């Protein structure tokens, strides 16, 4: 049992269970399976984006442009659907993936070929993609009555009692788990994060690996762009504005080290679910929006402190081993 609690995921599961238990004391329906399934569905887009960001952070990088990528892609497919409602939704989803991939590849190529810091590149493209959305739409919105019923309704279709949106995010979770666990690319991503210099000596192309990671985060953002617009039935320049902070916060809570090299799909999913539970639980117990932001901020600070303490402890262990060698 003691060995089990060495894993960050176990502590997160306990924290989630405690949070559900505390809220359900006052509102028993909060812990009902149907309500928990709805919270998972509400958090699906955040989970998807957090998984993309996890790969980026593991390689010691940041993608601050994910929300702007989502905004541009969502607007592009929504405008196309409004102008040509006969285009199949499957084709629009493929287009969203391609647009997101292209925007992510632009980040990756700048970081790889120009050797620029990721935080600088994505801070710039964050503004560029948001501005491009305004130019594309002319500042106009695409409303529900302009979108086709199939475009809006696909993710609301229920299969085996679960909405399609939840099935999509479950598929993304499985794909990311397989990528990080069973593929050479997954091992290269973690190797780059642990020690970029040593990675070169074992044949890993650091720049190419980071490029692929940014392409993957771009594809995830593009897919989330379509799903976001279809879920909230509106496309505007302001959608997902500031959402990149929630994405990074969920990564930190999930135990993904901002120093790189440490992270897991399970931790990323649980970190996103923890934030999703907080945002659903606080209004239920009548906490004001101001305190919701403050409590979310405190949760992030506590998570960062725990991460920093855990990494410092590992460093001490290494030193102790070196001293006794």
């Amino acid at each position: 049992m003691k060995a089990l609690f060495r894993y960050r995921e176990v502590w997160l599961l306990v924290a989630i269970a405690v949070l559900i238990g505390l809220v359900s004391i006052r509102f028993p329906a909060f812990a009902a399976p149907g309500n928990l399934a709805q919270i998972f569905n509400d958090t699906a887009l955040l989970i998807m984006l957090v998984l993309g960001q996890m790969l980026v952070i593991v390689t010691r990088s940041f993608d601050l442009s994910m929300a702007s990528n989502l905004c541009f892609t969502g607007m592009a497919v929504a405008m196309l659907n409004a102008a040509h409602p006969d285009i199949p939704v499957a084709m629009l989803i493929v287009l969203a993936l391609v647009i997101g991939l292209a925007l992510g590849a632009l980040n990756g190529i700048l970081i790889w070929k120009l050797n620029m810091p990721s935080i600088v590149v994505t801070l710039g493209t964050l503004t560029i993609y948001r501005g491009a959305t305004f130019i594309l739409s002319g500042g106009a919105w695409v409303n529900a009555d302009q979108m086709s019923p199939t475009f809006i309704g696909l993710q609301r279709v229920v299969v085996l009692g679960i909405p399609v949106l939840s099935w999509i995010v479950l598929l993304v979770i499985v794909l990311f788990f397989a990528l990080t666990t069973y593929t050479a690319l997954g091992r290269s991503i973690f190797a780059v994060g642990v020690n970029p210099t040593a990675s070169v000596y074992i044949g890993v192309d650091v720049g190419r690996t980071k490029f692929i990671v940014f392409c993957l985060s771009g594809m995830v953002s593009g897919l989330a762009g379509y799903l976001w617009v279809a879920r909230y039935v509106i496309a505007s320049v302001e959608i997902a504005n500031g959402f990149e902070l929630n994405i990074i916060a969920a990564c930190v809570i999930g135990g993904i080290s901002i120093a790189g090299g440490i992270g897991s799909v399970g931790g990323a999913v649980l970190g996103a679910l923890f934030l999703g539970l907080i945002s659903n639980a606080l209004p239920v117990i009548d906490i004001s929006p101001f305190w919701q932001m403050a409590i979310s901020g405190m949760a992030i600070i506590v998570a960062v402190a725990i991460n920093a303490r855990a990494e410092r402890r590992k460093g001490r262990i290494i030193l102790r081993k070196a001293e006794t060698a």
Side-chain angles (χ1 to χ4, degrees):
M1 181 64 76
K2 189 176 178 181
L4 198 61
F5 277 92
R6 290 178 182 172
Y7 295 97
R8 178 63 171 269
E9 291 83 353
V10 176
W11 284 104
L12 271 171
L13 277 173
V14 171
I16 288 171
V18 169
L19 181 61
I20 294 172
L22 289 174
V23 179
S24 61
I25 290 173
R26 187 170 176 183
F27 298 97
F30 187 80
N35 187 56
L36 296 180
Q38 183 59 47
I39 291 174
F40 179 82
N41 197 58
D42 291 343
T43 316
L45 291 174
L46 178 60
I47 293 173
M48 199 178 295
L49 294 165
V50 167
L51 288 170
Q53 187 72 254
M54 179 202 75
L55 294 185
V56 174
I57 293 179
V58 166
T59 61
R60 299 189 179 192
S61 305
F62 287 98
D63 188 353
L64 300 179
S65 67
M66 291 187 83
S68 297
N69 184 334
L70 179 157
C71 179
F72 180 85
T73 308
M75 177 62 79
V77 294
M79 289 180 67
L80 194 58
N81 176 254
H84 304 283
D86 52 335
I87 296 178
V89 176
M91 191 176 293
L92 292 176
I93 293 174
V94 172
L95 181 63
L97 288 167
V98 171
I99 294 173
L101 170 65
L103 299 183
L106 177 61
N107 287 332
I109 205 77
L110 291 172
I111 293 164
W112 180 17
K113 294 301 180 184
L114 301 183
N115 200 26
M116 295 172 67
S118 63
I119 197 165
V120 174
V121 169
T122 56
L123 192 60
T125 52
L126 176 155
T127 309
I128 293 170
Y129 297 162
R130 190 72 64 172
T133 309
F134 185 87
I135 294 170
L136 180 68
S137 64
W141 294 14
V142 180
N143 297 309
D145 56 352
Q146 297 173 275
M147 302 177 193
S148 68
T150 52
F151 182 86
I152 298 171
L154 175 66
Q155 63 168 321
R156 291 180 175 80
V157 175
V158 176
V159 178
L160 300 176
I162 299 175
V164 166
L165 177 59
S166 292
W167 283 114
I168 292 173
V169 77
L170 286 172
L171 176 63
V172 172
I173 291 170
V174 170
L175 290 175
F176 271 75
F177 179 77
L179 171 70
T180 55
T181 308
Y182 300 113
T183 67
L185 175 62
R187 289 189 288 275
S188 298
I189 290 169
F190 281 91
V192 168
V194 171
N195 192 326
T197 305
S199 301
V200 175
Y201 288 104
I202 59 172
V204 175
D205 189 327
V206 175
R208 182 171 170 274
T209 304
K210 288 188 177 184
F211 171 75
I212 295 172
V213 162
F214 275 92
C215 288
L216 291 173
S217 73
M219 284 183 71
V220 168
S221 303
L223 178 59
Y226 158 69
L227 294 171
W228 184 294
V229 169
R231 178 174 177 74
Y232 298 107
V233 290
I234 191 166
S236 77
V237 179
E238 296 298 323
I239 63 170
N241 195 11
F243 202 64
E244 54 274 352
L245 298 180
N246 293 43
I247 299 168
I248 294 174
C251 285
V252 173
I253 291 172
I256 289 91
S257 172
I258 56 176
I262 300 174
S264 69
V265 170
V269 172
L270 290 172
L273 282 176
F274 186 76
L275 275 190
L277 273 170
I278 286 180
S279 63
N280 277 273
L282 296 183
V284 170
I285 55 178
D286 201 22
I287 301 292
S288 73
F290 170 77
W291 280 108
Q292 291 176 32
M293 294 173 63
I295 291 172
S296 298
M298 283 189 281
I300 294 165
I301 291 172
V302 170
V304 171
I306 292 172
N307 280 355
R309 185 176 174 79
E311 287 168 19
R312 188 167 60 244
R313 193 180 301 146
K314 286 175 184 173
R316 285 174 182 166
I317 290 171
I318 292 170
L319 287 176
R320 279 203 299 271
K321 286 182 178 177
E323 287 171 357
T324 55

